[in-house]
């Protein structure tokens, strides 16, 4: 009998951590936010593939009874206002991402020129989504030295995936490598369809 591809190919990693929120305020209503290709105002190339992905996710969630806030090409201020002004059961992010082990370098999801959505912002969320899908390059990448520095200095994770698990998100999908548009779209559609 053939083994599942996830066993043979090592597609799934599980993270266990001793740092986590004890009290979690869950989201009850079927509400989601999809942030796709924020407006970078020419500071970095826009991502048409992320826009396509965002529309596909919105359509699938709409068809399944979710109320969806769809932020496509939005400014950093609009994104921050949307994230923190409501509660979401599902958060889907499709944009540029960066992981830099040096603490003074940008890291997180790029939401505008010199504007980043980081593990700090996720830590600030008062309610905890059940699912966060982060389709941004490198945001699940781990670096032991960076993690130790952030833990000691900021009491946060250096990596967004780790931070999401620590705030109590039940299911986290985050990439630790560069994201190719067509593969990302295919994986996203199959995931949400099923």
């Amino acid at each position: 009998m053939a083994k599942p591809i996830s066993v043979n190919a090592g597609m799934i990693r599980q993270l266990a951590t001793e740092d986590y929120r004890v009290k979690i305020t869950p989201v009850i209503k079927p509400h989601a936010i999809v942030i796709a290709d924020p407006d970078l105002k020419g500071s970095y190339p826009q991502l048409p593939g992320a826009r396509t992905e965002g529309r596909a996710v919105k359509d699938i969630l709409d068809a399944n009874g979710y109320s969806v806030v769809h932020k496509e090409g939005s400014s950093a201020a609009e994104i921050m206002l949307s994230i923190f002004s409501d509660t979401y059961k599902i958060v889907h992010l499709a944009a540029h991402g960066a992981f830099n082990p040096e603490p003074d370098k940008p890291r997180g999801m790029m939401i505008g020129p010199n504007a980043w959505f980081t593990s700090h912002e996720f830590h600030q969320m008062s309610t905890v989504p059940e699912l966060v899908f982060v389709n941004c390059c490198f945001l699940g990448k781990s670096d032991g030295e960076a993690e130790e520095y952030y833990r000691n200095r900021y009491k946060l994770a250096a990596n967004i995936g780790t931070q999401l698990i620590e705030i109590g998100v039940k299911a986290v999908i985050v990439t630790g490598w560069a994201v190719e548009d067509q593969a990302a779209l295919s994986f996203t559609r199959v995931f949400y369809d099923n």
Side-chain angles (χ1 to χ4, degrees):
M1 175 180 244
K3 290 183 181 177
I5 191 168
S6 61
V7 173
N8 290 331
M11 294 173 55
I12 298 173
R13 284 192 320 190
Q14 183 176 6
L15 173 71
T17 179
E18 294 179 8
D19 298 316
Y20 55 88
R21 274 189 193 170
V22 176
K23 185 175 182 189
I24 297 170
T25 306
V27 177
I28 305 303
K29 61 184 177 175
H31 199 52
I33 186 166
V34 176
I35 299 170
D37 192 31
D39 182 7
L40 304 179
K41 302 193 183 327
S43 65
Y44 219 72
Q46 294 300 139
L47 297 171
R51 287 181 182 236
T52 302
E53 177 184 323
R55 290 180 202 134
V57 171
K58 179 195 178 308
D59 292 345
I60 292 167
L61 292 174
D62 278 340
N64 285 282
Y66 276 81
S67 166
V68 181
V69 173
H70 184 222
K71 305 305 285 181
E72 179 182 296
S74 299
S75 71
E78 292 169 329
I79 290 167
M80 295 299 268
L81 182 62
S82 293
I83 286 278
F84 290 108
S85 65
D86 209 339
T87 61
Y88 304 100
K89 190 173 275 243
I90 296 174
V91 175
H92 186 94
L93 310 173
H96 285 292
F99 178 85
N100 292 301
E102 293 88 29
D104 58 334
K105 301 280 185 182
R107 71 170 36 146
M109 181 179 80
M110 184 183 280
I111 58 173
N114 300 314
W116 300 85
F117 198 85
T118 69
S119 58
H120 182 266
E121 282 72 33
F122 276 111
H123 182 73
Q124 298 290 323
M125 295 175 82
S126 59
T127 58
V128 177
E130 283 187 14
L131 167 67
V132 179
F133 192 126
V134 184
N135 227 351
C136 306
C137 297
F138 307 112
L139 295 190
K141 185 174 180 174
S142 293
D143 178 281
E145 287 180 31
E147 285 299 330
E148 185 177 346
Y149 178 83
Y150 265 71
R151 290 258 174 258
N152 294 336
R153 180 113 189 229
Y154 304 114
K155 306 297 183 221
L156 295 170
N159 156 327
I160 282 182
T162 303
Q163 189 65 49
L164 291 168
I165 291 166
E166 290 178 359
I167 67 169
V169 177
K170 290 180 182 177
V172 176
I173 298 172
V174 60
T175 55
W177 51 86
V179 177
E180 193 275 320
D181 287 345
Q182 194 55 47
L185 180 60
S186 294
F187 177 77
T188 300
R189 281 189 171 137
V190 168
F191 176 82
Y192 281 106
D193 280 339
N194 290 290

